[in-house]
């Protein structure tokens, strides 16, 4: 079943910013509605929204430069070149079958005993972004780049393109990139410039209205935005905007950015972005698209990655990871610096500083878990980082063993490093199935550890009678680790020694990573020995945080370790979302009336919310 929505709007220069409130969707959690919910999810999986925005011929009104940024601030990096391709991509990709799984939540379903919900016990990255300027096949290249970033989000995907006629066109949908887009969808996205987004949502329904990029109108036209990160002062900003009459259709923090751009009095357009971002606190790597410009911006701390590349025809590419550049044959140029705004238009690439930025605090978990091993993130090879993590574990936490295995896929490189340093063979003791969804129907006779067994299969020939070291990237709640240990011992392992290629996670992340509340984190509640007893392994060791910093050498101060220490570079204020737009998945209401997906921000001794400006901070502030 294919559903599509097409809208066309003509926008004049005097148009006021508008917000459209979309219908409310509520998932009913009862046995009688589960089948209907599954069917609805299946249909929604291939549902896409196509929107068209047309500019008035009067749109090209002169936007005079602002005295806020003198001309010497702009540093041309590249001159515009003629854009051409010697060949065409001929995509034959057809839409696959709709996803039919019903995504789990933390609720129990006593009436549906055979319905098993399984969720990886791992932190989750929120999303990935792509921006392309100056390529006649921008939408197809964007599609391929999003495919390379699929590991950063599997719930939804979208692309917005700008045509030479002043039209912004968008296609968004729920599901994997290959399920949302096919040849006919990409044919609806002509133009040389494009932005794209892959989205991850926490357990719950993934609604179409939350899928980015968002396109919004303001009095001088339209703008599209794709955002990776999380704003820690979202509640404060939204309250101020609503007090002044703004109307919100979602609870996505990205919508706050659009409202701030719309109310800005700055000219030209990119100065509106600068003014809006100066009010934001937290993590954001964003790409904006107008009819003739592509703008990339990264927060002053550089929490989330964003890189720039260039294709042989001169097209400029931005992406969350370099693996996306590799797939579309774009040469890696450099990172977008923390606090930097890059404007790409017909005159080339211009750079300006968003604000005087403090010491960078890039997310160390990009190297531990999120990014692909073949990416270069924050100027470092992810593969080399993980290999060194494993070597450190072998040096500092050795144990007599016969074989080293990994929990695939994120533990593989660290396991290779451990095995090489220990002089013990590395083998595939666990085989991961890559064709597993979120929900399965278990036989009436229950199978213990059913969810883990669906995803991981032990190799008895590797394990039987052996002393096994198993390397994983992290332990969050500990539930999956205990099942893996039991699985290995049932397959005949004589001993199981867990080695974790990261320090213990003791605090929640506020900067765009979905982590549980601190109370749910096993390392926040138990000692290493207690965790060892809980998961049932023979020995357990984590990567020491001091060893991690020593490995990073002079760059150690440029990373955020808040999830390991509880010391936050930017203090959260009020209620902070665990990740992106969790509470808006099918719910509308005031912030206070919507439960779930929120973490308490910091409070002072009087119980009042802290709201600290960048200028007021002196190093890290403990929470």
């Amino acid at each position: 079943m294919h559903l599509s929505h097409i809208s066309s709007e003509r926008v004049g220069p005097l148009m006021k910013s508008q917000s459209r409130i979309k219908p409310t969707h509520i998932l009913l959690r009862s046995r009688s509605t589960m089948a209907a919910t599954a069917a609805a999810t299946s249909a929604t999986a291939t549902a896409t929204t196509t929107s068209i925005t047309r500019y008035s011929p009067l749109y090209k009104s002169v936007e005079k430069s602002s005295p806020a940024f003198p001309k010497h601030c702009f540093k041309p990096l590249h001159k515009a070149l003629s854009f051409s391709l010697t060949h065409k991509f001929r995509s034959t990709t057809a839409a696959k079958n709709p996803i039919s799984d019903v995504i789990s939540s933390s609720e129990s379903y006593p009436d549906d005993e055979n319905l098993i919900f399984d969720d990886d016990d791992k932190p989750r990255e929120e999303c990935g972004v792509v921006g392309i300027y100056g390529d006649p096949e921008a939408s197809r290249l964007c599609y391929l780049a999003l495919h390379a970033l699929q590991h950063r989000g599997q719930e939804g995907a979208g692309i917005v393109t700008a045509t030479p006629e002043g039209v912004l066109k968008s296609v968004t949908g729920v599901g994997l990139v290959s399920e949302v887009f096919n040849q006919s969808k990409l044919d609806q996205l002509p133009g040389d410039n494009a932005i794209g987004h892959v989205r991850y949502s926490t357990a719950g329904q993934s609604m179409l209205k939350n899928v980015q990029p968002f396109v919004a109108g303001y009095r001088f036209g339209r703008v599209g935005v794709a955002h990776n990160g999380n704003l820690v002062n979202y509640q404060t900003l939204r309250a101020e905007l609503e007090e002044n009459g703004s109307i919100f259709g979602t609870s996505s923090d990205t919508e706050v950015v659009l409202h701030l751009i719309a109310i800005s009095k700055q000219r030209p357009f990119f100065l509106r972005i600068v003014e809006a971002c100066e009010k934001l606190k937290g993590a954001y790597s964003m790409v904006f698209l107008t009819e003739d410009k592509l703008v990339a911006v990264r927060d002053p701390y550089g929490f989330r990655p964003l890189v720039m590349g260039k294709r042989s025809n001169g097209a400029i590419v931005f992406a969350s990871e370099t693996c996306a550049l590799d797939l579309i044959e774009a040469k890696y140029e450099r990172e977008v610096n923390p606090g930097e705004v890059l404007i790409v238009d017909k005159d080339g690439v211009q750079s300006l500083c968003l604000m005087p930025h403090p010491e960078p605090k890039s997310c160390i978990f990009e190297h531990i878990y999120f990014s692909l091993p073949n990416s270069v993130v924050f100027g470092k090879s992810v593969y080399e980082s993980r290999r060194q993590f494993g070597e450190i574990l072998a040096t500092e936490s050795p144990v007599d063993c016969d074989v080293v295995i990994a929990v695939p896929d994120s533990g593989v490189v660290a396991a290779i490093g451990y095995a090489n340093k220990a002089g013990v063979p590395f083998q595939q003791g666990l085989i991961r199935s890559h064709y597993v969804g979120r929900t399965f129907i278990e036989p009436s006779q229950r199978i213990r550890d059913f969810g883990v067994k669906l995803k991981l299969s032990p190799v008895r020939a590797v394990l039987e009678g052996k002393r096994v070291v198993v390397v994983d990237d992290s332990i969050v709640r500990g539930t999956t680790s205990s099942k893996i240990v039991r699985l290995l011992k049932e397959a005949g392992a004589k001993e199981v020694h867990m080695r974790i290629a990261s320090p213990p996670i003791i605090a929640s992340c506020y900067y765009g990573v979905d982590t549980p509340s601190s109370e749910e984190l096993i390392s926040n509640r138990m000692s290493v020995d207690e965790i060892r007893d809980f998961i049932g392994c023979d020995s357990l060791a984590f990567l020491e945080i001091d060893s991690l910093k020593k490995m990073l050498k002079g760059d150690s101060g440029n990373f955020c370790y808040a999830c390991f220490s509880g010391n936050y570079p930017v203090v959260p204020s009020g209620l902070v979302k665990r990740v992106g737009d969790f509470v808006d998945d099918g719910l509308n209401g005031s912030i206070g009336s919507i439960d779930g997906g929120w973490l308490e921000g910091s409070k002072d001794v009087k119980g009042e919310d802290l709201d600290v400006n960048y200028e007021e901070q002196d190093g890290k502030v403990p929470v």
Side-chain angles (χ1 to χ4, degrees), residues 46-86:
T46 52
T48 58
T49 298
T50 304
S51 64
I52 302 174
T53 302
R54 299 191 181 277
Y55 289 95
S56 164
L58 299 177
Y59 169 71
K60 294 183 180 291
S61 56
V62 178
E63 292 194 354
K64 298 180 181 179
S65 61
S66 167
F69 286 87
K71 289 186 177 179
H72 69 266
C73 289
F74 302 96
K75 305 172 184 177
L77 302 181
H78 303 281
K79 291 297 181 183
L81 302 174
S82 59
F83 305 116
S84 63
L85 283 180
T86 57

Side-chain angles (χ1 to χ4, degrees), residues 278-499:
E278 285 176 343
K279 299 177 182 178
L280 306 178
K281 297 174 187 175
Y284 53 89
S285 288
M286 295 184 285
V287 287
F288 297 86
L289 184 67
T290 68
E291 67 160 357
D292 60 352
K293 287 181 176 62
L294 175 64
V295 181
V297 60
R298 193 170 169 212
D299 70 81
Y301 285 89
F303 286 108
R304 307 257 65 84
L306 190 63
V307 297
M308 182 176 76
K310 188 176 182 181
R311 283 174 51 80
S312 59
N313 64 350
I316 301 298
V317 181
F318 297 101
S320 295
E321 291 183 38
T322 58
C323 61
L325 304 183
D326 296 337
L327 181 58
I328 62 174
E329 298 182 335
K331 180 183 177 182
Y332 171 71
E333 295 275 307
R334 66 177 180 88
E335 284 191 291
V336 177
N337 294 319
E340 184 179 24
V341 179
L342 287 171
I343 304 102
V344 190
D345 57 20
K346 60 182 178 59
D347 297 321
V349 182
Q350 294 177 324
S351 170
L352 62 90
C353 183
L354 178 64
M355 64 180 71
H357 55 84
E359 186 179 42
K361 294 297 175 187
S362 303
C363 177
I364 189 62
F365 243 93
E366 292 285 350
H367 278 262
I368 292 171
Y369 176 67
F370 298 135
S371 299
L372 287 184
N374 59 315
S375 286
V376 175
V377 177
F378 309 134
K380 293 180 176 291
S381 165
V382 175
Y383 186 98
E384 284 302 306
S385 293
R386 292 179 186 171
R387 183 184 60 79
Q388 291 180 58
F389 297 160
E391 291 180 351
I392 294 171
L393 280 170
T395 302
E396 297 185 350
S397 304
V399 65
D400 292 334
C401 62
D402 303 308
V403 65
V404 176
I405 68 170
V407 177
D409 294 312
S410 54
V412 170
V413 180
I416 292 172
Y418 188 103
N420 289 343
K421 192 70 174 179
V424 177
F426 167 77
Q427 296 192 45
Q428 272 191 292
L430 287 170
I431 307 298
R432 183 180 183 89
S433 171
H434 294 276
Y435 311 103
V436 179
R438 290 280 190 89
T439 307
F440 296 88
I441 305 300
E442 186 180 10
S444 56
Q445 185 175 354
R446 281 202 171 271
I447 299 175
R448 188 170 63 170
D449 304 332
F450 180 57
V452 171
K453 288 178 179 177
L454 279 170
K455 295 182 178 181
L456 298 174
S457 302
V459 182
R460 184 172 290 272
V462 172
L463 303 170
E464 194 165 24
K466 303 286 182 62
R467 297 168 298 173
V468 179
V469 166
V470 55
V471 181
D472 202 356
D473 60 90
S474 60
I475 294 180
V476 181
R477 296 182 181 89
T479 52
T480 299
S481 298
S482 63
K483 294 173 183 177
I484 290 173
V485 170
R486 188 157 55 236
L487 199 66
L488 296 175
K489 290 194 172 183
E490 288 175 353
K494 183 179 178 181
E495 298 175 8
V496 176
H497 304 274
M498 289 285 293
R499 294 295 180 266

Side-chain angles (χ1 to χ4, degrees), residues 15-287:
M15 175 182 175
K16 302 296 183 183
S17 61
Q18 299 177 351
S19 295
R20 292 180 293 178
I21 301 178
K22 300 184 180 181
T24 301
H25 303 270
I26 300 177
L27 182 64
L28 301 177
R29 302 290 193 182
S30 67
R31 182 178 179 88
S32 60
T33 59
M34 287 300 289
T37 303
T41 306
S42 177
T44 306
T46 52
T48 58
T49 298
T50 304
S51 64
I52 302 174
T53 302
R54 299 191 181 277
Y55 289 95
S56 164
L58 299 177
Y59 169 71
K60 294 183 180 291
S61 56
V62 178
E63 292 194 354
K64 298 180 181 179
S65 61
S66 167
F69 286 87
K71 289 186 177 179
H72 69 266
C73 289
F74 302 96
K75 305 172 184 177
L77 302 181
H78 303 281
K79 291 297 181 183
L81 302 174
S82 59
F83 305 116
S84 63
L85 283 180
T86 57
H87 65 279
K88 299 281 187 180
F89 287 95
R90 299 199 178 275
S91 173
T92 57
T93 306
K96 296 183 179 180
N97 291 331
I99 55 173
S100 57
D101 55 311
V102 179
I103 301 171
S104 68
S105 77
S106 59
E107 301 174 35
S108 60
Y109 304 88
D111 293 336
D112 295 279
E113 295 180 354
N114 294 345
L115 195 59
I116 299 301
F117 299 106
D118 182 67
D119 197 19
D120 284 332
D121 186 22
K122 297 291 180 186
R124 301 272 186 127
E125 172 62 79
E126 184 183 346
C127 56
V129 299
V130 175
I132 297 174
Y133 184 93
D135 198 294
E137 294 204 297
S139 63
R140 282 165 171 75
L141 293 177
C142 196
Y143 162 79
L144 293 173
L146 291 178
H147 177 75
L149 297 176
Q150 188 75 85
H151 59 285
R152 300 183 75 90
Q154 300 87 44
E155 303 295 338
I159 295 174
V160 174
T161 59
T163 70
E165 294 78 24
V167 176
L168 291 186
K169 293 186 175 182
S170 69
V171 172
T172 59
V174 176
L176 301 176
V177 173
S178 59
E179 294 169 328
V180 173
F181 296 100
N182 55 27
Q183 183 70 51
S184 64
K185 292 289 192 308
L186 294 174
D187 288 342
Q188 299 174 38
L189 297 169
D192 295 348
N193 311 326
I195 59 174
H197 187 272
V198 287
R199 172 183 183 266
Y200 163 71
S201 68
T202 55
Q205 309 88 294
S206 185
M207 305 305 294
L208 182 58
K209 70 175 181 176
N210 293 324
V211 179
Q212 296 184 38
F214 292 157
V215 179
Y218 71 114
R219 55 183 172 162
F220 294 110
R222 306 285 280 186
V223 57
V225 59
H227 171 211
N228 177 23
N230 211 35
L231 305 181
V232 301
N233 64 336
Y234 162 77
Q235 185 187 31
T236 303
L237 290 175
R238 174 165 173 164
E240 292 174 358
L241 289 165
E242 289 180 327
E243 181 72 20
N244 293 321
S246 293
I247 299 174
F248 285 78
T250 74
S251 65
S252 170
D253 48 5
T254 310
E255 191 175 5
V256 166
V257 180
L258 292 172
H259 278 278
L260 292 174
I261 291 172
I263 65 174
S264 172
K265 300 295 193 294
Q266 291 289 340
R267 303 282 290 274
F269 167 75
F270 66 85
L271 291 183
R272 293 173 176 269
I273 295 177
V274 171
E275 185 177 66
C277 290
E278 285 176 343
K279 299 177 182 178
L280 306 178
K281 297 174 187 175
Y284 53 89
S285 288
M286 295 184 285
V287 287

